[in-house]
Amino acid sequence: QVQLVESGGGLVHPGGSLSLSCAASGFAFSHHWMYWVRQAPGGGLEWVSSIDDTGEKTYYGDAVRGRITTSRDNDRNTMTLQIRNLKPEDTAVYYCTKDRYVVMSEGIQVTVSS
């Protein structure tokens, strides 16, 4: 059974930084590309980042490029997302996924507000 559990969200002031983690189990994590997507209040799912199965290749959405870094540890079946210079428009529920827009977890709330 696939399980994806996000952690590390919270309330952050604009300009701050945050690190999100995703713990994966129930599938061959090291064989899968992984993704972060987010959903802002009243909005749809927005792609944030992709990382290939080896962790060597990463891709980022236009709204966050230059402010985020994603990485993975295939030994621990975990993935992280580091976000810098947070903006109010980054406020959203963040999900890690194994199929880009297929959400299988509860997500983690990130709120950017002064």
Side-chain angles (χ1 to χ4, degrees):
Q1 181 181 356
V2 173
Q3 283 196 318
L4 297 164
V5 180
E6 301 91 350
S7 60
L11 175 63
V12 185
H13 293 306
S17 301
L18 198 65
S19 182
L20 305 180
S21 296
C22 172
S25 62
F27 66 101
F29 179 78
S30 63
H31 293 178
H32 281 266
W33 283 56
M34 293 293 294
Y35 309 88
W36 287 98
V37 297
R38 67 186 183 183
Q39 186 168 25
L45 287 175
E46 177 188 14
W47 169 65
V48 174
S49 70
S50 304
I51 186 166
D52 77 336
D53 53 344
T54 68
E56 293 179 359
K57 297 180 181 178
T58 54
Y59 305 90
Y60 302 112
D62 290 342
V64 295
R65 189 175 296 119
R67 299 190 293 119
I68 71 169
T69 304
T70 189
S71 60
R72 66 191 294 162
D73 185 335
N74 283 346
D75 291 331
R76 297 184 177 184
N77 285 6
T78 58
M79 178 174 64
T80 61
L81 181 70
Q82 295 179 319
I83 316 173
R84 304 173 293 277
N85 189 23
L86 280 155
K87 304 175 181 181
E89 51 264 42
D90 293 319
T91 295
V93 178
Y94 286 71
Y95 303 92
C96 63
T97 66
K98 59 182 286 289
D99 301 291
R100 189 181 303 212
Y101 293 116
V102 179
V103 173
M104 303 178 71
S105 59
E106 295 185 357
I108 192 79
Q109 178 70 47
V110 172
T111 302
V112 184
S113 175
S114 56

